[in-house]
Amino acid sequence: MILGVFLRSFKTYKGINYIPLSNGQKFVGIVGDNGIGKSSILEALDCVFNQKRWNVNITSRRSGLGTTKPYILPIFYINEATFEGEELTLARKISDRVKSFIETDFATANRPHFNSFKEHLGTQRFEENKLLLPLGINHNHKIDLGTFTSEDFLSHVFDRTISTFTDINSNETD
């Protein structure tokens, strides 16, 4: 199930936006006035699941994709039995970190959107065997964790600093 989605510079959505899609039940309804972005949400999910063409926000195109870094980031609510071994360990760490982030983990400009995400999480009853996993794509259809790729987030998940990853990568190319 998809609990919600972060959209950054996709179609009608400028910057980062969090859109709650589910209250943890099996029914989802997307309602609202014309022109507010209901179809954009569905198109974004179609891009993720069916590799459809991206419709980048016009402001983002003008500013440059390298600057605005568009992404679509669904937040999956998934049974941990989907994973096993090391994958399960990693998935649990990611889920625990997503559930426990605090406002100061994110850039000041992004905090209102992540506070709305946190507020949405506060309305959920999480089952013990369920994980909360952010997994999306960027405008090049490459896997992307969106803002959850901050150094603080990754260092908690992998029990390493970013410089450790840099050291590992540079050793592999020698």
Side-chain angles (χ1 to χ4, degrees):
M1 164 186 325
I2 299 174
L3 193 62
V5 63
F6 281 98
L7 297 179
R8 181 173 185 168
S9 300
F10 185 85
K11 211 170 168 185
T12 59
Y13 292 95
K14 295 179 187 175
I16 297 174
N17 297 269
Y18 176 69
I19 300 102
L21 295 177
S22 172
N23 64 358
Q25 303 301 310
K26 294 182 180 182
F27 177 78
V28 173
I30 302 173
V31 295
D33 293 334
N34 289 339
I36 64 165
K38 298 180 301 291
S39 296
S40 297
I41 296 165
L42 297 175
E43 277 187 49
L45 294 174
D46 200 24
C47 284
V48 171
F49 295 116
N50 298 314
Q51 299 181 350
K52 297 292 182 171
R53 186 181 75 76
W54 264 72
N55 192 340
V56 177
N57 178 279
I58 193 160
T59 305
S60 183
R61 272 183 281 187
R62 288 182 188 149
S63 300
L65 300 178
T67 304
T68 56
K69 299 178 179 142
Y71 60 78
I72 303 164
L73 184 66
I75 307 297
F76 293 93
Y77 186 54
I78 188 167
N79 193 322
E80 66 179 25
T82 306
F83 306 96
E84 56 185 41
E86 290 180 23
E87 288 178 343
L88 177 58
T89 301
L90 179 59
R92 282 179 177 155
K93 282 182 159 186
I94 292 171
S95 182
D96 289 346
R97 185 66 181 133
V98 168
K99 290 176 184 175
S100 68
F101 83 85
I102 57 175
E103 183 177 287
T104 55
D105 289 339
F106 299 98
T108 305
N110 298 335
R111 289 179 187 170
H113 307 290
F114 292 98
N115 283 334
S116 101
F117 172 58
K118 190 70 169 183
E119 185 177 309
H120 184 221
L121 291 184
T123 66
Q124 306 302 307
R125 281 190 347 255
F126 293 110
E127 297 174 37
E128 210 171 295
N129 64 341
K130 299 282 185 155
L131 302 171
L132 199 57
L133 300 175
L135 183 60
I137 60 171
N138 64 25
H139 66 282
N140 291 321
H141 285 275
K142 303 287 186 208
I143 293 174
D144 199 313
L145 296 179
T147 302
F148 291 104
T149 55
S150 71
E151 182 172 348
D152 181 60
F153 182 84
L154 292 176
S155 64
H156 276 84
V157 169
F158 293 103
D159 299 323
R160 298 180 181 172
T161 64
I162 295 302
S163 61
T164 305
F165 290 115
T166 305
D167 293 342
I168 291 168
N169 289 334
S170 64
N171 289 338
E172 289 177 356
T173 58
D174 291 343

